[in-house]
Amino acid sequence: MTGTQAVTEQVIPKPKTLPDAQTVTAVTHWTESLFSFRVSRPQTLRFRSGEFVMIGLMDDNGRPLLRAYSIASPSWDEELEFYSIKVPNGPLTSRLQHIKPGDQIILRPKPVGTLVIDALLPGEHLWFLATGTGIAPFASLMRDPETYEKFEQVIMMHTCRTVEELEYGRRLVEDLKNDPLIGEMVEGKLLYYPTTTREESPLMGRITDNLTSGKVFTDLGLPPMAPGRDRAMVCGSLAFNVDVKKVLEDFGLTEGANSDPREFVVEKAFVGEGV
Ligand code: FAD
Ligand code: A2P
């Protein structure tokens, strides 16, 4: 070959940037079907502890595949945390469960939701009632100083089928007691009542049963719920939400919303098949 030297044009692929992309910073697998992860927080994102956002990944056709997720970290945290189920063949979670630090996810920065302290009338005792991944919004609220400024006693009731499914919440509560920021506020104020229904553990039974039988009040040395003093937030499956709502109403509490604060608020932890 004479004359000019052949020039090979090299195209350096640009990193694919997703719309509303955030970077995964940590992933923890708790059980075969539960994991949590942390992502960078958009600088402009403001939210109230307990709210949820839409997050997801691109599907094979380059379209965003988004699902609602409660933000599990408190509003002061510089990152965002999420706690997730792994649904077998679930469109999003069958992929999301494989994310690693450095990967990107989509996060639509429009937080909404009813599980916020503003949606409750002032009270003395605040009950968090959750099954399964329904603990996620309370993982946020339990780490927010405002929760302890507004309530004298905070009670976290979490029920799962097995002991290992409680581990994310158990660890969170344990770490909270040693937290330099709110460890002292939490001391004596946060009562944790984890129960299982299908495996032996120190505390057993459904939340609904432990409330109606009065067992939880006896165990914790608290008076039964009363509308003048007690407030509640509920997050679980639709069946759980329906049943616990009835129990709370039997104690005389009424359901509120952002626009109409009352004694308790409810949010679905997920939308079940056919619902
Ligand atoms: P999908 O097609 O969405 O769900 C398939 C089936 O899996 C559902 O029909 C249901 O039967 C079951 N399922 C879905 N999610 C759950 C779950 N969390 N627990 C038990 N069974 C479930 N999910 C979380 O894991 N963490 C959260 O913090 C969370 N917050 C939510 C907040 C709101 C307001 C709503 C409405 C849903 C929330 N979800 C949460 C559920 C989430 O939006 C998705 O449904 C879930 O990530 C599964 O997505 P998928 O595409 O894999 O399967
Ligand atoms: P149980 O084992 O008695 O069904 P699931 O995995 O089915 O969403 O359930 C999570 C937890 O919530 C389980 O401990 C389950 O108890 C409990 N639970 C399910 N449905 C209800 C309900 N309608 N009322 C109270 N607890 C419920």
Side-chain angles (χ1 to χ4, degrees), residues 65-268:
L65 176 57
L66 300 173
R67 293 285 185 270
Y69 267 81
S70 296
I71 302 174
S73 46
S75 52
W76 53 261
D77 199 329
E78 59 193 26
E79 292 184 336
L80 298 174
E81 183 173 308
F82 297 98
Y83 180 52
S84 180
I85 188 92
K86 303 176 195 176
V87 179
N89 304 316
L92 179 64
T93 54
S94 56
R95 295 154 168 262
L96 193 66
Q97 63 179 283
H98 300 297
I99 53 167
K100 295 181 300 300
D103 289 350
Q104 295 194 328
I105 66 155
I106 307 165
L107 189 148
R108 296 271 191 261
K110 291 191 179 59
V112 287
T114 55
L115 300 180
V116 290
I117 286 180
D118 293 346
L120 293 174
L121 293 170
E124 292 170 34
H125 296 175
L126 176 58
W127 296 78
F128 295 145
L129 310 177
T131 58
T133 60
I135 195 173
F138 308 129
S140 174
L141 284 155
M142 273 195 285
R143 291 186 270 191
D144 193 330
E146 190 193 354
T147 304
Y148 305 95
E149 283 158 12
K150 297 232 164 118
F151 292 90
E152 286 167 21
Q153 200 82 73
V154 178
I155 308 102
M156 176 74 245
M157 290 183 81
H158 186 207
T159 298
C160 294
R161 294 179 181 198
T162 64
V163 172
E164 65 169 12
E165 291 169 334
L166 291 169
E167 187 58 16
Y168 171 77
R170 195 194 63 75
R171 186 76 68 84
L172 191 143
V173 171
E174 198 176 283
D175 289 350
L176 207 47
K177 292 186 178 142
N178 304 317
D179 188 289
L181 187 67
I182 64 166
E184 273 183 32
M185 288 184 109
V186 168
E187 187 74 44
K189 277 204 160 187
L190 176 63
L191 300 174
Y192 177 49
Y193 199 83
T195 64
T196 53
T197 50
R198 303 198 190 186
E199 186 184 0
E200 280 297 319
S201 74
L203 296 168
M204 304 267 313
R206 288 181 161 200
I207 288 172
T208 41
D209 294 339
N210 284 321
L211 286 171
T212 43
S213 69
K215 181 173 189 301
V216 62
F217 308 121
T218 309
D219 286 351
L220 297 178
L222 293 174
M225 284 187 185
R229 178 187 50 233
D230 292 84
R231 304 289 173 260
M233 293 188 176
V234 176
C235 191
S237 63
L238 183 66
F240 169 71
N241 287 2
V242 168
D243 290 351
V244 87
K245 182 178 153 151
K246 167 90 175 53
V247 172
L248 295 174
E249 286 171 347
D250 288 347
F251 280 113
L253 280 63
T254 60
E255 185 173 0
N258 272 292
S259 55
D260 179 21
R262 288 178 187 230
E263 290 94 23
F264 74 91
V265 279
V266 179
E267 196 135 80
K268 283 196 279 278

